[in-house]
Every structure is written in C-alpha cells, then in structure tokens.
C-alpha cells in the first residue's frame, strides 16, 4: 500500500527545518540544491513544494510571523491591563530571544541580497506589517498607527541590541518601561488604560 503524505504538514516540516539553515548560512549564501542536501531530500522534492528559493523564503517568513503572533498574543486575552501585556511581551521575548535574534539576522541578511530589491512597498511586506499592526492594536486596545510603529521599532531595537551582544539590556525591564511609556502617552491623549 502506498504511503499517504500530508503535503501541508510535510511542507511545514520542511519550512521549520529551513529556519536554522537560513539563519546559520544566510539567504544569499545557500542554493536550493544545498538546502535540499541539508534537509536530506531530493532537489525535485524541494522544487515540488517551492518553485524557487524566494518562494521558500516568503513562505518561511509567513509561517514565522503567524507562529510568533499566535504564541505572543495567546496570553493577552487573560491579561486585563496594557502594563500586564507589556510585561508578558517582555517575558515572551526574553524566553524566545535566541529565535528572535536568528529571525532578525535572517531578515537583515535577506535585505542585503539582490532578491530583496523587489520587496520595497511590496504586497508581501505590507501584509506582514499589517499582521503585526493588528496584534499591536489588540495589545493596546486602540488603533494608533504612530504608536504601533513605535512599538515595532522598540521591539526590533531591543532584539538588535541583544543580537549585537549587548547583554546588559534586560528585555523584561525594557518592555515594562515601554508599557509605562505607552500608558502615559495614551492617557495624555484621552485613552483609558
């Protein structure tokens, strides 16, 4: 009897194994043939699921964002205040710091590659940013684009500091402070906390 393959599950498995590979070797330094070899699959199998490296990368990033947001926001429903949510964000980032550092490195590496040139203002990046914005609006309980941009830049900055090896940054402490700053900003402009 032939083996029945769940193609969606197998595709996700391939993607999850690609994350560390891209993070370790870099987007520009690896070919589809090398990816297949590292994953111990044929190049034909890899091309069956992903027409090219760019498509594989896009799907990897889509899955990364979906997983990050699912994990990070899962606890928010039980937390009553923004301050509690800010502290939970800090604990989540701190507990998954290695992953976020690798993810940031991967995105920085990709942005330096020629394949990234077509991504400026692309639908792909816009869609990902909107997902992050939606999560931040949920986090805040209010839609404020400037504040959402601030929080995205803040999180990226904290992770970048740790990526650069600056271990004096306490992620939980920084997120707690960010929560206080966000609450002060929202109170100043008439939003309830």
């Amino acid at each position: 009897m032939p083996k029945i393959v769940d193609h969606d599950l197998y595709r996700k498995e391939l993607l999850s194994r690609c994350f560390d590979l891209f993070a370790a070797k870099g987007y520009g330094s690896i070919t589809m043939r090398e990816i297949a070899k590292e994953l111990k699959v044929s190049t034909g199998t890899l091309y069956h699921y992903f027409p090219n490296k760019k498509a594989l990368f896009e799907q990897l990033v889509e899955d990364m964002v979906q997983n990050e947001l699912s994990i990070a926001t899962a606890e928010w429903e039980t937390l009553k205040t923004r301050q509690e949510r800010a502290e939970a964000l800090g604990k989540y980032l701190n507990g998954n710091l290695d992953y976020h550092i690798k993810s940031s490195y991967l995105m920085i590496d990709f942005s330096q590659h020629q394949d990234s040139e077509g991504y400026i203002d692309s639908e792909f990046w816009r869609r990902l940013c909107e997902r992050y914005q939606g999560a931040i609006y949920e986090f805040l309980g209010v839609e404020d684009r400037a504040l959402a941009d601030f929080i995205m830049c803040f999180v990226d900055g904290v992770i970048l500091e740790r990526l650069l090896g600056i271990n004096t940054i306490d992620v939980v402490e920084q997120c707690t402070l960010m929560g206080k700053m966000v609450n002060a900003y929202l109170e100043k402009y008439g939003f309830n906390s």
Side-chain angles (χ1 to χ4, degrees), residues 7 10-19 21-22 30-57 59-60:
H7 292 286
Y10 189 63
R11 180 194 231 335
K12 287 189 180 299
E13 181 186 320
L14 290 172
L15 286 170
S16 70
R17 292 167 49 203
C18 284
F19 175 75
L21 187 59
F22 273 122
I30 196 162
T31 65
M32 286 290 275
R33 183 179 305 277
E34 292 168 325
I35 293 169
K37 182 179 177 185
E38 291 286 332
L39 297 179
K40 296 179 177 34
V41 299
S42 70
T43 53
T45 297
L46 198 57
Y47 278 113
H48 173 75
Y49 289 96
F50 310 100
N52 54 48
K53 184 171 69 167
K54 191 173 179 182
L56 188 154
F57 180 79
Q59 189 60 57
L60 174 65

Side-chain angles (χ1 to χ4, degrees), residues 164-181:
L164 295 172
I166 301 171
N167 293 325
T168 57
I169 301 293
D170 182 318
V171 177
V172 177
E173 179 182 67
Q174 291 300 306
C175 286
T176 300
L177 179 58
M178 183 264 307
K180 291 176 183 176
M181 293 168 64

Side-chain angles (χ1 to χ4, degrees), residues 11-192:
R11 180 194 231 335
K12 287 189 180 299
E13 181 186 320
L14 290 172
L15 286 170
S16 70
R17 292 167 49 203
C18 284
F19 175 75
D20 286 328
L21 187 59
F22 273 122
K25 298 199 179 224
Y27 178 86
S29 300
I30 196 162
T31 65
M32 286 290 275
R33 183 179 305 277
E34 292 168 325
I35 293 169
K37 182 179 177 185
E38 291 286 332
L39 297 179
K40 296 179 177 34
V41 299
S42 70
T43 53
T45 297
L46 198 57
Y47 278 113
H48 173 75
Y49 289 96
F50 310 100
N52 54 48
K53 184 171 69 167
K54 191 173 179 182
L56 188 154
F57 180 79
E58 286 179 356
Q59 189 60 57
L60 174 65
V61 172
E62 289 262 5
D63 283 9
M64 284 170 33
V65 168
Q66 186 61 41
N67 289 338
E68 281 177 28
L69 292 178
S70 294
I71 293 167
T73 61
E75 189 179 347
W76 293 357
E77 293 175 8
T78 64
L79 302 175
K80 305 266 187 261
T81 68
R82 285 185 203 101
Q83 192 59 44
E84 290 174 324
R85 289 178 175 192
E87 291 169 18
L89 175 63
K91 290 174 185 172
Y92 162 74
L93 291 172
N94 196 52
N96 297 283
L97 205 50
D98 185 54
Y99 166 81
H100 288 288
I101 287 171
K102 286 179 181 178
S103 176
S104 294
Y105 174 76
L106 177 61
M107 300 311 290
I108 291 167
D109 178 65
F110 176 75
S111 71
Q112 295 176 334
H113 193 270
Q114 65 185 3
D115 279 356
S116 72
E117 292 172 10
Y119 281 92
I120 297 172
D121 287 329
S122 74
E123 178 61 31
F124 176 74
W125 290 120
R126 220 173 294 123
R127 189 173 58 248
L128 295 180
C129 286
E130 286 172 3
R131 281 191 191 160
Y132 279 119
Q133 272 182 331
I136 292 170
Y137 293 157
E138 181 183 333
F139 167 82
L140 295 171
V142 90
E143 287 189 25
D144 184 316
R145 174 136 187 163
L147 195 51
D149 290 344
F150 165 76
I151 292 171
M152 281 195 287
C153 291
F154 170 85
V155 169
D156 288 343
V158 168
I159 293 168
L160 181 61
E161 289 293 307
R162 294 304 293 269
L163 182 142
L164 295 172
I166 301 171
N167 293 325
T168 57
I169 301 293
D170 182 318
V171 177
V172 177
E173 179 182 67
Q174 291 300 306
C175 286
T176 300
L177 179 58
M178 183 264 307
K180 291 176 183 176
M181 293 168 64
V182 165
N183 281 326
Y185 170 87
L186 290 171
E187 286 173 17
K188 180 178 179 176
Y189 292 100
F191 295 100
N192 296 331

